[in-house]
Amino acid sequence: MGTGAADRSRGARWWLPWLGLCFWAAGAEAARGADSGEVLPDSIPSAPGTLPHFIEEPEDAYIIKSNPIALRCKARPAMQIFFKCNGEWVHQNEHVSEESLDESSGLKVREVFINVTRQQVEDFHGPEDYWCQCVAWSHLGTSKSRKASVRIAYLRKNFEQDPQGREVPIEGMIVLHCRPPEGVPAAEVEWLKNEEPIDSEQDENIDTRADHNLIIRQARLSDSGNYTCMAANIVAKRRSLSATVVVYVNGGWSSWTEWSACNVRCGRGWQKRSRTCTNPAPLNGGAFCEGMSVQKITCTALCPVDGSWEVWSEWSVCSPECEHLRIRECTAPPPRNGGKFCEGLSQESENCTDGLCILGIENASDIALYSGLGAAVVAVAVLVIGVTLYRRSHSDYGVDVIDSSALTGGFQTFNFKTVRQGNSLLLNPAMHPDLTVSRTYSGPICLQDPLDKELMTESSLFNPLSDIKVKVQSSFMVSLGVSERAEYHGKNHSGTFPHGNNRGFSTIHPRNKTPYIQNLSSLPTRTELRTTGVFGHLGGRLVMPNTGVSLLIPHGAIPEENSWEIYMSINQGEPSLQSDGSEVLLSPEVTCGPPDMLVTTPFALTIPHCADVSSEHWNIHLKKRTQQGKWEEVMSVEDESTSCYCLLDPFACHVLLDSFGTYALTGEPITDCAVKQLKVAVFGCMSCNSLDYNLRVYCVDNTPCAFQEVVSDERHQGGQLLEEPKLLHFKGNTFSLQISVLDIPPFLWRIKPFTACQEVPFSRVWSSNRQPLHCAFSLERYTPTTTQLSCKICIRQLKGHEQILQVQTSILESERETITFFAQEDSTFPAQTGPKAFKIPYSIRQRICATFDTPNAKGKDWQMLAQKNSINRNLSYFATQSSPSAVILNLWEARHQQDGDLDSLACALEEIGRTHTKLSNITEPQLDDTDFNYSRQNGL
């Protein structure tokens, strides 16, 4: 019991016996009065038989901070009122008493109150809360009030459960849980949305009454926001952490459009229809629509049938005008499906009296004139036919039969001997053979390794050699009308090297692991991917080194006595082509110019792309940027067009164009199986902290120029390629990409927790048209003595392809094994002009064009040449050219600029049946190293 209660108990001892004695005396007196028959009037306040009645009883109370609380008690009739707290009487000095008279009943009313302090409550240690009770006395006895508890009020700071953010679909249920802090009295909860109170009575969709939780029955877009739980009692208010609620909308397909018209005017083609993900459009991170945005079906268009005349009818009876008629109808067959009507007259008349009805001399003169002209025409026709037959009978070869060497003589074996002078551009039939040889090579030389010093490439046959004399031993020379053994004299030509290009030559030093690639440290720093060259009537080739981009200017495309400085560049900044919908950029933006230059023959532009080519999964378009900066579609790769031609190879697109400008390839995935080819690579370098080592994993489009940008950035950061890059097939199935570091040596290296695996969203990878996508990992050595690092980098698409990069390197630069990359290209001369830029010699090219441009009854013309070179589509484009064979060969040159596989062309010609290939031995004189290296590095 507390000290105050003990004091009150001792103070009450002196008056309690006296009070009991007074009550006993009053009771005895009242009993005697009753025995004597005396009755007290009702108006007497202290009339016996009346117990105290409480008008006001003490209420439960809470002590806030250190402020005491007052307990009140009022009763009538009452002689005295005292408080008892926790079973002990409160000292009378702590009571404050007031007495009054109830006017309605005339009874005494007494009111008493006491103060209870925080210290008194804290000092009490009992099985129940601190409590106080009133006891009131009257003449008849006592009455007790209810017990009033007194507690210390508080509210803790931390919520037992904060609401958590949610992402829910529209019309889904949202439940935010909130458990307020512990407090006395219990805290009341209020919800705020964006700092504004929520009134559940005004919104039937919201319920805040269920155990302090916030329930939104059907989520609406307007329900997105930041929600806060507010708890408050008489002491304080508390705020929970804010919970962000995002109501997202998953995309839905619109209705299909109508089927398009058949893409061909005649025969078998395809129709397509499309739909957009706009019903509704994805919102607040909602999923994009699943399925195809474009559907294709085959269609058959009825071919137009031109009308044809029936045979003439019999002549009619001779009329009085001495004429008879005959007619014919356009019904054999009649024009159908938009075909042309028959040309000519449907009715014919003539004199039917053998001139007996001729009127006037003028008519007779006209007939004589026409008869003479007809006889002259017949005579001229007979003369022409006779001359033609005579020339054909004396020709060395015909249209249908020609010696194979006339077409493939450039593919035969050659003898080489050094001489001091000669004309490299002429085949001299008057030369006598020189049989002096020092070394002999046999077999076709089209497939030789360009790095093998024991063999020479096929371009050696067609480019001028330094002081080299070539002897040809084959029927090729007979077919061309020259002697059986002719000499080809060569000398060193300066060629064309615009803008001071360095003409030095370098040697490749491959390592065993990657014999085909060049070291990172040897790459030149490029501030701009741009190259130029001056070209004339002989044409040439402009190459952007290590990018896969090239430009072929055919012979004769530029008029004679003219020359142009032609440039080519690749956009390395932010792409100006912004993709629409599901369309993605598949190639770099390539610019060639000048734009006002006109060519007489289509030039070939080669652009690399990163699509896994398949007409079933991709719809690929060629686009061009206008002068206003907008992009417009030139053609779809699958469409038929006579304005340009697109030939799509697995890694590049070869385009035949008539005008310069900025071009790019875009793709629209038709199915989820559409695949983009990504090149994945890992670079490493030391960080500022000597114990840390950084790994950077790149995933870029599989185009050489995209990877070259990564190489340039890493070169400036001191990065080192740790493993050969690999290809990853990334599907358009909306699944993300995961990059993780595995198998780190546990006692030598460590990586920060929860950073060993990183995930990249699908949209970031699929539409990555800006900076190269990469993830960085930081590894730390336990001790500076650790110099070797081995681990695995796993790059995988969820439900897709996976690649593993095995890292095994030394972090010390002196011990590190150099990993190299980039295929060696002819980057020493980005601009090649004249005959040396082409794989096929010009004389052979002329023979092929002359042979195949001529129509042939057996179909062995330029169309079969195209078919044998895997050109089976849009042949109407070549039909509009003045020399279809020349354009086909230009396309062949663009496709085979790296391998120059002339054997494949020779085989194609041989399969047509017009040629047969005979291989002769090649003899080569002793060459000094200087001449040999010069010829090799010129692609000879």
Side-chain angles (χ1 to χ4, degrees):
M1 183 180 296
T3 306
D7 295 339
R8 289 194 297 270
S9 178
R10 288 191 297 271
R13 292 173 184 172
W14 65 272
W15 56 270
L16 285 176
W18 175 81
L19 184 60
L21 180 61
C22 292
F23 286 161
W24 175 82
E29 185 66 25
R32 285 193 298 271
D35 294 340
S36 60
E38 296 179 1
V39 180
L40 296 175
D42 296 336
S43 61
I44 298 176
S46 58
T50 303
L51 290 175
H53 171 70
F54 286 98
I55 302 174
E56 180 180 354
E57 296 184 84
E59 300 290 337
D60 297 337
Y62 297 94
I63 295 177
I64 302 173
K65 298 181 179 180
S66 298
N67 300 323
I69 55 97
L71 297 179
R72 297 179 179 275
C73 190
K74 182 188 292 186
R76 66 179 180 192
M79 299 174 58
Q80 287 294 337
I81 299 176
F82 288 95
F83 274 92
K84 179 186 288 188
C85 294
N86 301 321
E88 300 291 337
W89 294 103
V90 179
H91 196 279
Q92 65 177 354
N93 293 337
E94 298 181 16
H95 291 72
V96 177
S97 171
E98 294 181 358
E99 185 175 321
S100 62
L101 185 65
D102 188 356
E103 296 179 356
S104 60
S105 62
L107 300 178
K108 291 182 179 181
V109 178
R110 184 174 293 275
E111 182 179 7
V112 177
F113 68 90
I114 63 172
N115 289 330
V116 180
T117 65
R118 182 185 183 96
Q119 186 66 38
Q120 291 175 349
V121 177
E122 289 178 347
D123 290 342
F124 173 70
H125 301 285
E128 55 185 353
D129 293 333
Y130 189 98
W131 61 270
C132 292
Q133 185 181 38
C134 287
V135 180
W137 282 269
S138 67
H139 291 91
L140 186 58
T142 62
S143 296
K144 295 181 180 180
S145 70
R146 63 179 295 275
K147 290 182 179 180
S149 62
V150 180
R151 305 174 67 185
I152 298 176
Y154 68 92
L155 183 63
R156 300 195 184 278
K157 293 183 178 180
N158 297 327
F159 278 72
E160 295 184 3
Q161 182 179 4
D162 287 296
Q164 301 296 319
R166 297 284 306 279
E167 292 184 0
V168 295
I170 193 166
E171 296 185 357
M173 178 178 286
I174 303 174
V175 178
L176 298 180
H177 298 279
C178 176
R179 292 176 60 188
E182 180 186 352
V184 174
E188 295 182 357
V189 172
E190 181 185 22
W191 284 91
L192 303 180
K193 175 189 173 184
N194 299 329
E195 303 303 325
E196 295 292 333
I198 297 176
D199 189 356
S200 60
E201 294 183 357
Q202 295 182 358
D203 192 345
E204 296 180 353
N205 194 39
I206 298 177
D207 185 5
T208 59
R209 297 169 295 177
D211 197 19
H212 308 305
N213 298 329
L214 174 65
I215 300 175
I216 301 178
R217 297 181 179 88
Q218 288 186 329
R220 301 156 296 191
L221 288 177
S222 59
D223 292 325
S224 298
N226 296 320
Y227 288 82
T228 307
C229 182
M230 293 288 297
N233 64 4
I234 59 177
V235 179
K237 289 184 178 181
R238 301 284 186 257
R239 289 173 58 96
S240 70
L241 297 177
S242 294
T244 300
V245 173
V246 176
V247 180
Y248 63 84
V249 179
N250 292 325
W253 289 113
S254 65
S255 300
W256 288 102
T257 61
E258 296 295 330
W259 289 104
S260 65
C262 201
N263 68 320
V264 295
R265 295 181 57 189
C266 172
R268 186 178 178 85
W270 51 265
Q271 293 175 280
K272 68 178 181 180
R273 64 175 183 175
S274 61
R275 57 180 178 176
T276 57
C277 189
T278 56
N279 186 33
L283 191 63
N284 295 337
F288 195 80
C289 304
E290 296 182 357
M292 300 182 296
S293 61
V294 177
Q295 281 186 344
K296 286 186 176 182
I297 59 173
T298 59
C299 59
T300 302
L302 296 176
C303 296
V305 178
D306 294 337
S308 180
W309 292 112
E310 286 279 3
V311 296
W312 286 101
S313 65
E314 295 295 333
W315 288 104
S316 65
V317 178
C318 194
S319 67
E321 290 80 14
C322 299
E323 288 185 345
H324 58 177
L325 303 175
R326 65 175 180 177
I327 61 173
R328 58 179 177 175
E329 295 181 352
C330 188
T331 58
R336 296 193 304 270
N337 306 326
K340 297 180 180 179
F341 195 81
C342 303
E343 295 182 358
L345 300 175
S346 62
Q347 178 176 302
E348 189 177 60
S349 64
E350 67 177 16
N351 189 284
C352 58
T353 61
D354 295 331
L356 296 179
C357 286
I358 295 176
L359 301 177
I361 301 177
E362 282 187 353
N363 293 337
S365 304
D366 293 341
I367 293 175
L369 176 62
Y370 294 149
S371 300
L373 290 177
V377 170
V378 171
V380 170
V382 171
L383 180 62
V384 170
I385 293 173
V387 171
T388 302
L389 293 177
Y390 176 80
R391 293 184 62 184
R392 178 172 297 184
S393 64
H394 288 76
S395 176
D396 290 339
Y397 58 92
V399 176
D400 293 329
V401 180
I402 186 170
D403 193 342
S404 65
S405 58
L407 304 179
T408 61
F411 317 133
Q412 308 303 312
T413 54
F414 284 77
N415 297 333
F416 300 91
K417 180 180 179 182
T418 58
V419 294
R420 295 191 177 183
Q421 61 184 359
N423 190 341
S424 64
L425 301 178
L426 297 178
L427 294 176
N428 190 349
M431 283 289 189
H432 296 287
D434 189 344
L435 303 178
T436 305
V437 297
S438 61
R439 194 177 302 177
T440 300
Y441 295 90
S442 299
I445 59 177
C446 302
L447 300 177
Q448 307 302 337
D449 186 354
L451 299 182
D452 188 357
K453 288 189 176 182
E454 297 301 323
L455 298 175
M456 301 186 68
T457 65
E458 71 286 346
S459 58
S460 304
L461 303 177
F462 312 133
N463 291 313
L465 300 178
S466 175
D467 295 335
I468 297 296
K469 180 172 64 178
V470 182
K471 296 181 180 180
V472 183
Q473 299 175 347
S474 74
S475 57
F476 158 65
M477 307 310 300
V478 178
S479 302
L480 293 180
V482 297
S483 64
E484 186 174 4
R485 291 180 177 268
E487 295 184 355
Y488 180 61
H489 297 278
K491 67 179 181 179
N492 189 1
H493 290 274
S494 61
T496 302
F497 307 98
H499 302 289
N501 285 345
N502 184 10
R503 296 186 59 186
F505 300 94
S506 59
T507 305
I508 303 173
H509 302 284
R511 58 181 276 242
N512 293 333
K513 190 174 185 181
T514 53
Y516 59 93
I517 45 183
Q518 174 186 336
N519 193 349
L520 167 64
S521 60
S522 66
L523 286 172
T525 302
R526 293 182 178 270
T527 57
E528 181 184 19
L529 288 179
R530 180 184 177 91
T531 185
T532 60
V534 178
F535 297 88
H537 181 69
L538 297 180
R541 190 190 304 269
L542 190 61
V543 179
M544 189 82 70
N546 295 324
T547 63
V549 178
S550 64
L551 181 67
L552 182 75
I553 307 297
H555 182 281
I558 301 176
E560 292 190 46
E561 300 180 356
N562 287 352
S563 63
W564 286 84
E565 182 179 23
I566 298 177
Y567 64 86
M568 187 167 58
S569 64
I570 298 177
N571 180 18
Q572 289 184 287
E574 185 76 14
S576 59
L577 198 161
Q578 301 298 327
S579 301
D580 297 331
S582 59
E583 192 176 48
V584 294
L585 185 64
L586 298 178
S587 74
E589 297 175 2
V590 179
T591 302
C592 53
D596 55 346
M597 176 181 171
L598 299 178
V599 292
T600 58
T601 303
F603 61 89
L605 178 63
T606 299
I607 306 176
H609 65 82
C610 62
D612 190 358
V613 180
S614 174
S615 60
E616 298 178 358
H617 307 310
W618 281 106
N619 191 7
I620 298 178
H621 307 273
L622 176 68
K623 292 195 173 183
K624 181 181 180 181
R625 188 172 61 190
T626 63
Q627 294 181 353
Q628 292 76 23
K630 296 182 179 180
W631 287 84
E632 61 182 14
E633 181 176 334
V634 178
M635 69 172 295
S636 175
V637 173
E638 297 296 327
D639 287 346
E640 301 283 334
S641 174
T642 57
S643 60
C644 65
Y645 186 88
C646 288
L647 181 61
L648 202 61
D649 280 345
F651 299 101
C653 183
H654 311 282
V655 190
L656 297 176
L657 298 164
D658 294 323
S659 62
F660 291 93
T662 301
Y663 296 90
L665 290 175
T666 63
E668 184 178 8
I670 300 176
T671 69
D672 290 344
C673 296
V675 171
K676 277 184 65 176
Q677 294 181 345
L678 303 181
K679 180 171 289 186
V680 295
V682 56
F683 291 80
C685 69
M686 296 290 293
S687 65
C688 298
N689 185 354
S690 60
L691 294 179
D692 289 349
Y693 191 76
N694 294 328
L695 295 177
R696 288 185 289 274
V697 182
Y698 289 85
C699 299
V700 298
D701 292 347
N702 183 34
T703 56
C705 49
F707 190 61
Q708 186 181 19
E709 185 177 352
V710 172
V711 170
S712 178
D713 293 342
E714 283 294 328
R715 183 174 182 272
H716 287 87
Q717 299 181 45
Q720 178 72 25
L721 183 66
L722 304 182
E723 174 65 358
E724 294 179 20
K726 295 185 178 181
L727 283 184
L728 179 74
H729 298 285
F730 191 79
K731 290 185 177 181
N733 56 9
T734 70
F735 288 100
S736 59
L737 185 72
Q738 284 186 349
I739 304 175
S740 55
V741 182
L742 308 174
D743 298 346
I744 301 175
F747 301 106
L748 301 177
W749 294 84
R750 61 186 172 191
I751 190 170
K752 293 181 180 180
F754 309 109
T755 62
C757 181
Q758 301 185 29
E759 186 167 342
V760 184
F762 168 82
S763 58
R764 178 71 176 88
V765 182
W766 188 252
S767 303
S768 179
N769 300 331
R770 298 173 291 277
Q771 298 299 323
L773 174 65
H774 79 280
C775 294
F777 300 89
S778 180
L779 279 67
E780 182 181 3
R781 295 179 288 171
Y782 282 95
T783 62
T785 59
T786 302
T787 61
Q788 298 294 324
L789 171 63
S790 64
C791 64
K792 293 180 181 178
I793 308 294
C794 177
I795 304 102
R796 60 184 290 266
Q797 183 187 17
L798 299 180
K799 298 186 179 180
H801 191 213
E802 175 181 315
Q803 281 288 11
I804 300 293
L805 298 178
Q806 180 69 52
V807 176
Q808 191 164 2
T809 185
S810 172
I811 64 174
L812 300 180
E813 194 151 345
S814 59
E815 301 179 2
R816 183 183 302 150
E817 183 182 8
T818 302
I819 305 292
T820 57
F821 46 89
F822 276 147
Q824 175 70 12
E825 293 186 1
D826 189 13
S827 57
T828 308
F829 300 105
Q832 294 181 334
T833 59
K836 65 182 179 180
F838 303 97
K839 307 298 181 182
I840 307 174
Y842 183 64
S843 59
I844 303 298
R845 178 188 181 93
Q846 285 183 312
R847 287 296 184 189
I848 295 176
C849 294
T851 302
F852 287 96
D853 282 345
T854 305
N856 184 272
K858 298 180 181 179
K860 298 177 180 180
D861 51 13
W862 63 267
Q863 298 189 47
M864 184 169 289
L865 177 65
Q867 180 182 357
K868 293 301 181 181
N869 284 278
S870 302
I871 303 174
N872 303 315
R873 185 186 53 78
N874 197 11
L875 296 183
S876 58
Y877 172 81
F878 300 98
T880 61
Q881 305 298 322
S882 58
S883 175
S885 301
V887 180
I888 293 173
L889 294 179
N890 293 339
L891 194 57
W892 184 94
E893 291 274 2
R895 297 180 73 183
H896 296 86
Q897 61 174 321
Q898 297 299 328
D899 53 34
D901 188 8
L902 293 171
D903 272 347
S904 65
L905 182 58
C907 292
L909 299 177
E910 186 175 5
E911 288 178 7
I912 295 176
R914 304 180 121 185
T915 67
H916 63 277
T917 303
K918 293 182 179 180
L919 300 178
S920 303
N921 294 332
I922 297 179
T923 59
E924 179 189 18
Q926 294 288 344
L927 299 177
D928 55 57
D929 292 340
T930 303
D931 292 337
F932 186 77
N933 289 335
Y934 179 81
S935 65
R936 284 167 53 94
Q937 301 196 28
N938 273 283
L940 301 178

